[in-house]
């Protein structure tokens, strides 16, 4: 009896359909949708050069989910993480990492304060005022054919003598939905940039008498 020896290419061809299915399953399993947020820095200023704050972020959102019900249908498998880019005005920006919302806020506000000359400390320090950012809302949803983004927070600056200055920042924005999720990313980048850069740090120091 003649012995038939199957060659390696023959085995690959025979098993090609199964290999393609397996590759497709692996691809689907590892593709997790993320929000892509681009934060555009404000123009540099040295108005607060030499100042320092101890920055804390407090997440007081009643719902820690970023996406509303309709938006979830467009971001199936969403991990509640955000990929952040930081950009100079008029530029595309550079990726700096993937964050949960509280660490995203710390990253952005640290950079925002540095643009005004403020040195940011992680821990409370004697003689250094504390800046607390209290996040109230941070959400994205889909209403008909429009993406709807909302963000709001309270900023408190506290000195050693208990003097407190407070600002409330809130806003919402809409953008028409086109094919894919790019318009959602653009919208979240726009509202995030506007809300973070709306913080008037110099005014906080003045109001607190610091």
């Amino acid at each position: 009896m003649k012995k038939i020896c199957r060659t390696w290419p023959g085995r690959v061809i025979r098993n090609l359909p199964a290999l393609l299915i397996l590759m497709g399953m692996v691809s689907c399993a590892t593709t997790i949708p993320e929000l892509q947020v681009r934060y555009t820095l404000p123009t540099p200023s040295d108005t607060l050069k030499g100042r320092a704050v101890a920055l804390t972020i407090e997440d007081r959102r009643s719902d820690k989910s970023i996406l509303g019900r309709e938006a979830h249908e467009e971001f199936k498998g969403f991990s509640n993480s955000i990929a952040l880019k930081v950009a100079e005005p008029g530029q595309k920006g550079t990726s700096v990492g993937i964050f949960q919302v509280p660490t995203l806020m710390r990253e952005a506000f640290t950079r925002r304060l540095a643009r005004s000359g403020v040195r940011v400390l992680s821990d409370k320090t004697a003689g250094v005022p504390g800046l607390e950012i209290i996040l109230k809302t941070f959400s994205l949803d889909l209403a008909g054919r429009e993406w709807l983004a909302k963000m709001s927070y309270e900023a408190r600056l506290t000195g050693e003598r208990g003097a407190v200055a407070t600002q409330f920042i809130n806003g919402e924005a809409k953008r028409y939905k086109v094919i894919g999720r790019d318009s959602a990313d653009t919208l979240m980048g726009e509202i995030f940039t506007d809300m973070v850069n709306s913080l008037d740090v110099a005014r906080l120091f003045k109001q607190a008498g610091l």
Side-chain angles (χ1 to χ4, degrees), residues 1-109:
M1 180 183 293
K2 183 183 292 185
K3 185 175 181 181
I4 298 175
C5 180
R6 295 185 180 274
T7 62
W8 181 81
R11 289 197 300 272
V12 171
I13 293 173
R14 185 185 65 176
N15 295 323
L16 185 59
L19 288 171
L20 291 174
I21 292 172
L22 180 60
M23 289 173 65
M25 292 174 63
V26 171
S27 175
C28 291
T30 56
T31 303
I32 299 174
E34 294 171 344
L35 269 175
Q36 310 284 329
V37 170
R38 182 177 67 181
Y39 169 54
T40 302
L41 293 161
T43 303
S45 169
D46 60 359
T47 55
L48 296 173
K49 187 176 181 179
R51 299 275 195 168
V53 296
L55 178 64
T56 58
I57 306 293
E58 185 174 345
D59 189 354
R60 286 194 193 170
R61 291 175 295 157
S62 57
D63 184 355
K64 297 300 193 290
S65 299
I66 298 172
L67 301 182
R69 182 182 301 176
E70 298 301 322
H72 263 297
E73 294 300 312
E74 300 290 328
F75 287 83
K76 290 184 178 179
F78 181 59
S79 65
N80 229 37
S81 297
I82 295 176
L84 176 66
K85 282 186 177 181
V86 175
E88 294 289 340
Q91 297 185 9
K92 292 183 178 181
T94 303
S95 296
V96 296
I98 299 175
F99 303 91
Q100 294 293 305
V101 174
T103 50
L104 174 79
M105 298 288 287
R106 169 169 286 280
E107 183 72 21
F109 275 101

